[in-house]
Structure formats: C-alpha cells, structure tokens
Amino acid sequence: MRINVIYSGGTIGMVETDSGLAPGADLDTWLKELVSRRPTIGEVTLTEFETLIDSSNATPADWQALVDTLWNSRDDADGFVILHGTDTMAYASSALAFALRGFGKPVVLTGSQLPIGALDTDAYANVVDALMAITSGNVRGVALVFGRSIINGASATKWSSWNFEGFSSPNSPVLATTGAPWQWSDFGDKAFSSDVGDINKYDRHDVVVLDLVPGITATRVKAMLEPRPEAVILRAYGTGNIPADEPGLVDVLVEIVNDGVEVIVSSQCMQAHVVLGHYESGYALAELGVVSALNMTFEACYAKTIFLLSQGMHGKEFRDWMETPLCGELTLGTA
Ligand code: ASP
C-alpha cells in the first residue's frame, strides 16, 4: 500500500527554540525509521508544506489548501495521513469530511501533544495508528486518529489540551479503539458518504459565535451583532435554551433573522442534542425560523456553516442542508 504523509504543521514536528516551540524537527528521518520497524505498512512518502503553521493560525484557506493538495496527489497514493496541529484539528477534519465526499480514498488526520523529539512523546503511537487505520481498509472517508481512538472526521472534538487521549466523539461511537486486537464498530458504514455534487472551494465568511451566559443583556447581544454577520452560531444552554425572559433579547434575535442572518442554535454542552422548543425557554427560538445544530459537535457545526455558505447557500436551502446528514456529523440515535 502507498501512503502519503502530509505535514501541515503543529507540535508533532516542532522543536524547542528560545521563543518557544517552532517547526524544525527532522520528520523525514523519524518517519523512515518508524516505517522500517513496520514493513507491513508499505511504502510511505512525506510531503511537507512549504509554510508550516501552528494550527491556531488556520483559516478556511488552510482547509482548502489541504483539499487541493489531496486532489492534486490523489493518484500518487492509496491513502493519506495529515499531520496537523491539535488545536484546530477537529475543525479541519470536519471541514475535510464535508469537502472530500466523493474523494474515494482514506484520509486520516493526526498530531500529538508532544513533539517527536520528546522522550515520552505520543507522536509514535498516533502516527502508527493513523497508518494502520489506513492499511486496515476500514476507513473510507476522513477520520481523526488520536490517543488510541479512530474517530469519524466530522464527529471529533478536542476536549483536553494535555491528555494523551485529548480527542473524543461525544455524540456517536468511535470507529475503532486500538488494542490487541483493534475493536471496530459498524459506525463507519453510517459515517462515510460518497453522495456528492460539485463542491465550491472554502472561503472566509463572517460568522459570529455567541455564547450565552447568565446575566447577558439584549443590549450586549445587539451590539455584538453590528454590523450584521452572515450567520450566528448561538451557543445556548442544554437542549437549546435561552434566557427568553431577558427584556428585548428575543426581539434582537427576531430582528437578525428578519435581516436574513442565518441563526444556528448549538449547545454549550459537549454532548448535546438540540431540540428547539423542548422547554418554554427554547420555544421562542423554535418560532423564529432558526436552525438547530441537532447533535453536531461545535467544530462540525462551524465547519458546516462555512461549507454551506461557501456553496452559496442561504435561507431555506441553508437550513435544510444544515439538518441533512452529509458525512456522519449528524448521528441521531447512534450515541
Ligand atoms: N498549537 C499547536 C497547534 O495546534 C498545538 C498542537 O499541535 O498540539 O498547532
């Protein structure tokens, strides 16, 4: 099997410098050594991006650069591993899952909490697991591999900044847990979709993410939405509840919906299923014509919002697609 490893940046390939961790590790030699100890993995090549970034600097243009690189090298390998910074890796894996439906080859993102040169690095296990996820033949779309879990790309979330098992899949089963032997679930059959039309490139869109907190006022919310963004992801409580008794708050939301801003109601709970109108305090939202993030992770919800806006979708079309499962990001009934 031919696997192309693409290094885009992140801790995994960094070294200590006087001004903190920065890219500079000899990944090529490290990878060659690793593969020589696992000949069953096959032929592994390394592609390093010219500009290596800390993934906290990533924008939708970086997601698109990954998509373009993958399409341009599609015929050169049977599967791809992307070495990525962990900070925004779940956003990138979600974005790639939406844009690469129809790609037809496995793409696995991984990274590490510690650089390859650290004595107790988690990079070795994560990269070996990513390579083995591809050789298994069970990954048919985009996946994220970290800390012994193989997770559908559009279901992953970074829950810990330091834990070696720093990613989880809060709303759906993991694809596999590594071990001796690996335990695969049948979730991959539901997650990987090949149903796809033409896909526009990712571009930047003005999306406000608004966290509700006890005591927030309508005046503050109104000010945060001037000038009008294209979309608002409202991070509400629990199943999608808002402080509807706060004077003027619902009026502000009515105004932005009437102004054509897409409003997506997500939850502050990492594990959530948003049901608008389940409580009286969420009922006002249900009446407004907003759309529910249902049980998408926040990262998938944000990436899907940018994806649909990049496809030129607005209004009913945007809302209908937001609630339509594309690549395992909506997994109602499978948690
Ligand atoms: N700041 C780093 C990044 O996301 C963190 C990491 O890779 O773990 O690029």
Side-chain angles (χ1 to χ4, degrees), residues 1 16 39 64 98 106 125 129-130 146 201 206-207 213 235 239 246-247 261 263 280 283 292 318 334:
M1 201 172 212
E16 287 286 359
Q64 189 58 45
F98 293 121
D129 288 349
F146 206 88
K201 287 181 182 294
D206 186 10
V207 177
V213 284
R235 288 180 29 103
T239 56
E246 183 63 28
V261 177
V263 179
E280 201 182 5
Y283 191 74
S292 163
F318 177 94
T334 54

Side-chain angles (χ1 to χ4, degrees), residues 153-170:
S155 314
T157 199
K158 181 177 179 180
W159 72 271
S160 172
S161 65
W162 55 266
N163 196 303
F164 284 151
E165 292 165 10
F167 286 79
S168 68
S169 178

Side-chain angles (χ1 to χ4, degrees), residues 9-12 14 53-56 84-88 112-113 158:
T11 298
I12 191 164
M14 290 186 180
I53 61 164
D54 186 304
S55 80
S56 47
H84 198 282
T86 62
D87 282 344
T88 64
S112 60
Q113 300 280 27
K158 181 177 179 180

